[in-house]
Amino acid sequence: MIWLSACGGGGSGSISGTPSGTSPTPSPGASPSPAPGTGGTTGELKPVADATFIAALMEMTTSPGTASELNGQTTGGTTSNRSVTLDTPGFRASYAAGSGYSIADAIHSAAFGAAQLTSDTTASDPTYPTVLFTRNSNNAVDYLAMYKFKVTTTSVLGSGSVEPRYAGVGGWQHSIADPGARRTRLNYFAFGPVTPATAMPRSGVVKFSVTGSGNFAGNSDLYFATVFDTITVDFAAGTVTGTISASGRNLFDGGVGGIYNVRLNGTISGNAVAGATTSSITTASGQFRLLFIGPNADEIIVTHVGQNAGGHFVSAAVGVRNPYLP
């Protein structure tokens, strides 16, 4: 079963930091390519050749419970053996117009092209527009979901919609079926051409509207989550502050609602920010990574992981400059 769309991710385990020598490394001196557009035959924004990827990982074991074909719920399902890692060891990905997506980490690899295309709802679904690929092999299945986001805002400054031109978000699920259980690795990743450090703005305050996808998993909860909120960048002070909130649908009981929110703040180093997240819930802990994307820090990408008393969470998101935020 797929955890990457409209039903998926909340419980306990370990959080690990950046593994030595395995985290994706930004290339500050690389010159971003022009805005790539969608191109190809599917509607997602596709990575350009010089795109940098950052990825975060959730691992867990799920038991199926009793599945309902009518509503997609798995009544009585559970998760166990959970862990999250901010930087997926050995993660790498690329896209080529002729062959599609190649994606790998230190454990698995998979390729997704036209033969693996399952659905493309980018022209028809206003809520979760997604391009989905599926690859089956023996007792394993891989899914690749590429998300398309748009932010619509109404405020005293006016109304309008903004969508990313440079940065994108995706999710990769690798699941192995065992008797009575399923072992799953969920990689959420974001990508885009990194802003050269020499092109980073040195003045001004910009508000980015952030939208992304992820999962929250607990002992008897598994949510697919939409993450959203606002991140403010003070380029003169070199600081980043903001919140990431998550809401979604519980695959195990069908419930819908808010799941968690975390605060992040940090200092810009070159074209990146990294640090710990904070929360009003004392039992919550987590980490985030942020990169500036586009010729002039036009957009941001963010990955984050964490845990609280209820479960573990992972997500990747893109932020766009929003002129309608007061």
Side-chain angles (χ1 to χ4, degrees):
M1 184 173 291
I2 182 170
W3 314 138
L4 295 170
S5 61
C7 41
S12 126
S14 64
I15 295 179
S16 56
T18 303
S20 175
T22 60
S23 61
T25 303
S27 178
S31 298
S33 301
T38 53
T41 56
T42 49
E44 81 278 19
L45 191 151
K46 299 174 177 64
V48 293
D50 61 353
T52 292
F53 286 78
I54 55 175
L57 172 67
M58 175 185 282
E59 297 180 89
M60 62 182 167
T61 300
T62 59
S63 63
T66 303
S68 169
E69 296 297 331
L70 296 178
N71 58 18
Q73 294 176 206
T74 307
T75 306
T78 62
T79 79
S80 59
N81 304 314
R82 294 181 306 275
S83 66
V84 288
T85 306
L86 180 63
D87 291 302
T88 304
F91 185 88
R92 59 193 185 277
S94 63
Y95 171 80
S99 56
Y101 293 91
S102 295
I103 190 166
D105 60 20
I107 307 298
H108 304 292
S109 64
F112 302 91
Q116 288 74 46
L117 180 63
T118 303
S119 64
D120 179 0
T121 66
T122 54
S124 60
D125 186 346
T127 306
Y128 298 110
T130 305
V131 177
L132 179 65
F133 300 85
T134 305
R135 174 177 286 277
N136 289 287
S137 60
N138 298 324
N139 67 330
V141 60
D142 286 270
Y143 300 100
L144 175 65
M146 303 298 296
Y147 306 105
K148 186 175 184 181
F149 296 116
K150 177 186 291 186
V151 175
T152 301
T153 306
T154 298
S155 75
V156 295
L157 300 180
S159 301
S161 297
V162 186
E163 56 186 290
R165 297 178 62 228
Y166 300 95
V169 173
W172 172 34
Q173 174 184 332
H174 178 84
S175 293
I176 300 175
D178 290 329
R182 183 177 295 271
R183 291 179 287 130
T184 295
R185 292 170 63 87
L186 287 163
N187 271 293
Y188 280 91
F189 57 89
F191 58 85
V194 178
T195 305
T198 55
M200 287 289 294
R202 306 300 177 187
S203 63
V205 177
V206 176
K207 291 184 177 181
F208 290 85
S209 286
V210 176
T211 311
S213 294
N215 288 95
F216 182 89
N219 292 340
S220 56
D221 298 294
L222 182 57
Y223 284 85
F224 173 76
T226 297
V227 300
F228 58 93
D229 229 308
T230 303
I231 291 177
T232 300
V233 179
D234 186 332
F235 287 107
T239 60
V240 170
T241 59
T243 305
I244 293 179
S245 303
S247 64
R249 175 173 175 255
N250 192 335
L251 178 65
F252 289 163
D253 65 14
V256 177
I259 308 171
Y260 67 86
N261 64 76
V262 296
R263 295 186 296 271
L264 55 85
N265 62 81
T267 302
I268 299 172
S269 176
N271 51 23
V273 184
T277 58
T278 60
S279 173
S280 58
I281 302 174
T282 57
T283 56
S285 60
Q287 301 166 294
F288 77 95
R289 187 169 305 284
L290 181 152
L291 290 179
F292 291 91
I293 301 297
N296 300 290
D298 308 88
E299 297 166 7
I300 57 175
I301 55 175
V302 185
T303 54
H304 92 287
V305 298
Q307 69 180 94
N308 58 29
H312 286 75
F313 45 87
V314 61
S315 77
V318 57
V320 291
R321 293 182 180 226
N322 191 341
Y324 306 106
L325 285 179

